[in-house]
Amino acid sequence: MDICHVPGRFPVSTLRFGHVPQNPGLPRSQTSPYWPYVAAAGGSRSETDPSGPTYRNRMFFLGMGFVAQFFAQELKNQGWVVSGTCTSILKKNELGEMGFDMYLFDANEPELVILLPSTLEIMKYHTHVVVSIPPVVGIGDPVLQHKELLRSSLTDGGNLQWLCYLSSTSVYGDCGGAWVDEDYPTSPASELANLRLIAEKRWLSLGDDLGLSTQIFRLGGIYGPGRSAVDTIIKQGALSEGQKMRAYRKFTSRIHVEDISQALTASIHLPSRRRVYNIVDDDPAPREEVFAYASDLIEKKWPGRIKQSASQSESLIGKGSRRGKKRVSNARMKKELGVRLLHPSYRSGLQSIINHMEEAL
Ligand SMILES: NC(=O)c1ccc[n+]([C@@H]2O[C@H](COP(=O)([O-])OP(=O)(O)OC[C@H]3O[C@@H](n4cnc5c(N)ncnc54)[C@H](OP(=O)(O)O)[C@@H]3O)[C@@H](O)[C@H]2O)c1
């Protein structure tokens, strides 16, 4: 199903308050740009602030992690109200000081799980939701284990219209190095990947039940400022055991956090129903190649200051796992969401990261 081809990227700045395009697939009442906001009982500062705008785009992140924080900042800069969950009071306070309305939720902590009903009551008065909490072995999706609570809390009233579940390309499993699009059969090769796939289906189902525009983003390896091969080499100088194992997964797909943000932005403009998108760059590449490139960049910027170069690290790599080989196609993301990647390859992504680094060694 082709939704629309819109050339060019979508800067977040084009997301104006209340600007939600009409989508013929959704009931009119759920695409209106002027839904009234109703303050929730016990709502946080901005929700009860009488001086704030009555009608606003409001994003709620279930899990204010790396991607969420990056996108949250972009949205906030454009005037969105942004809220989310995290698992620690320290982080709640830090993000609160940055202007986000934060709520505690940790699926592993029963005393925080009991806060979920009140958090959902707040969440339902947001217009958009991004789910970025990963599955937990033995639990599954930490939020969906309370699916009936979600359904009962979110069914009546509220402003929710759009939901995106951040998934992973791990759901495809090992494809023998083949190119993999969204119609390629899924074959998760680990328990976590299997839980991902189950979570995808259940979020799509809940989205249907609630009448939301629901999309799944299958992300490649996420990198960006503060989390990249450059940062790893600077911080530790050598690869961890887990990283050594991953080094043998040829054709690892990855995606810069800026490009995830612009894909999310594009999807908000072009909400879909039950659409799955691979969110990866154009250049699936072996991890050792990426680390060698990062090492060269660091050597050029700070000659002789790496404790241990990537090439030395490579020599430490033993025979490792070859699971998960695939090259993930982003054709649908480009065609339907009109995304033009800022970082089509790890090369430009890493270059941009190091360009913005101050003296780091
Ligand atoms: N890293 C990758 O390369 C990669 C690749 C593909 C897909 N993904 C997935 O894409 C999504 C976004 O990635 P990301 O890197 O932004 O994730 P991230 O930084 O690890 O953030 C995950 C968020 O989930 C919260 N969380 C974790 N366990 C939880 C639990 N048991 N109960 C409640 N909340 C919990 C964390 O809380 P705190 O903020 O308190 O820590 C955090 O806010 C994640 O689901 C991730 O697994 C990641």
Side-chain angles (χ1 to χ4, degrees):
M1 177 188 76
D2 289 350
I3 298 172
C4 184
H5 175 56
V6 180
R9 62 183 288 257
F10 291 86
V12 171
S13 57
T14 61
L15 291 178
R16 301 292 177 216
F17 291 151
H19 174 74
V20 179
Q22 296 286 320
N23 181 330
L26 296 175
R28 182 169 171 72
S29 64
Q30 290 178 10
T31 57
S32 165
Y34 299 112
W35 288 357
Y37 171 67
V38 183
S44 56
R45 177 177 38 77
S46 62
E47 285 158 336
T48 52
D49 179 4
S51 64
T54 309
Y55 308 111
R56 299 183 73 163
N57 277 337
R58 309 171 69 85
M59 176 64 79
F60 195 98
F61 290 97
L62 281 165
M64 192 72 120
F66 182 72
V67 171
Q69 280 182 56
F70 190 93
F71 190 45
Q73 194 58 56
E74 291 203 355
L75 291 173
K76 184 171 158 285
N77 291 345
Q78 299 306 319
W80 282 57
V81 171
V82 180
S83 312
T85 68
C86 61
T87 60
S88 75
I89 290 178
L90 183 66
K91 187 166 178 182
K92 177 178 184 289
N93 291 340
E94 280 173 7
L95 292 172
E97 281 170 20
M98 291 164 67
F100 305 121
D101 294 321
M102 296 302 300
Y103 302 88
L104 286 174
F105 171 63
D106 186 336
N108 299 322
E109 297 292 337
E111 66 271 24
L112 295 185
V113 171
I114 56 173
L115 298 175
L116 188 60
S118 57
T119 302
L120 292 177
E121 193 57 32
I122 304 287
M123 187 178 93
K124 86 187 212 185
Y125 292 107
H126 290 67
T127 51
H128 298 71
V129 176
V130 169
V131 183
S132 80
I133 302 178
V136 177
V137 172
I139 291 182
D141 186 288
V143 185
L144 284 177
Q145 64 177 325
H146 308 285
K147 191 173 179 185
E148 285 318 309
L149 173 66
L150 279 164
R151 204 189 301 271
S152 60
S153 305
L154 304 178
T155 296
D156 296 322
N159 294 348
L160 291 181
Q161 55 186 283
W162 178 98
L163 183 147
C164 183
Y165 176 68
L166 300 186
S167 181
S168 163
T169 56
S170 66
V171 296
Y172 296 115
D174 184 349
C175 309
W179 278 100
V180 171
D181 66 12
E182 292 83 349
D183 296 324
Y184 197 93
T186 49
S187 180
S190 68
E191 186 181 351
L192 265 182
N194 194 41
L195 292 173
R196 270 285 177 211
L197 191 57
I198 294 169
E200 283 188 359
K201 290 176 182 158
R202 295 185 70 205
W203 277 109
L204 284 173
S205 155
L206 183 71
D208 277 354
D209 293 350
L210 298 175
L212 307 181
S213 156
T214 308
Q215 32 272 304
I216 305 292
F217 275 17
R218 290 180 179 158
L219 307 174
I222 301 163
Y223 74 105
R227 192 203 274 183
S228 71
V230 168
D231 294 271
T232 301
I233 294 171
I234 287 173
K235 280 179 202 147
Q236 70 187 64
L239 302 180
S240 69
E241 288 305 313
Q243 288 161 346
K244 291 173 199 170
M245 295 289 281
R246 288 196 294 271
Y248 275 92
R249 292 180 186 174
K250 287 185 176 170
F251 307 126
T252 299
S253 293
R254 51 189 64 73
I255 183 78
H256 193 286
V257 68
E258 278 186 80
D259 284 321
I260 301 174
S261 284
Q262 62 155 331
L264 285 165
T265 303
S267 169
I268 289 171
H269 277 270
L270 294 165
S272 75
R273 270 216 191 271
R274 302 186 65 84
R275 205 66 172 141
V276 176
Y277 295 99
N278 292 334
I279 307 294
V280 295
D281 70 17
D282 295 339
D283 189 14
R287 190 175 169 85
E288 55 267 47
E289 182 185 312
V290 175
F291 269 77
Y293 188 79
S295 181
D296 286 348
L297 288 179
I298 296 168
E299 276 299 317
K300 274 184 200 142
K301 184 152 181 171
W302 298 294
R305 299 190 61 184
I306 303 177
K307 292 175 217 144
Q308 182 174 26
S309 73
S311 55
Q312 285 172 308
S313 299
E314 282 162 31
S315 69
L316 299 174
I317 299 170
K319 295 282 180 198
S321 166
R322 289 175 182 266
R323 286 177 301 141
K325 285 190 292 183
K326 57 190 163 278
R327 285 173 289 178
V328 181
S329 164
N330 58 20
R332 180 181 289 177
M333 171 190 80
K334 290 180 173 174
K335 185 178 180 198
E336 296 185 3
L337 296 179
V339 171
R340 282 204 299 210
L341 293 167
L342 288 168
H343 302 295
S345 160
Y346 66 86
R347 290 179 178 80
S348 75
L350 293 179
Q351 184 71 63
S352 138
I353 287 167
I354 203 161
N355 286 349
H356 291 94
M357 273 183 167
E358 300 303 323
E359 185 63 42
L361 299 174

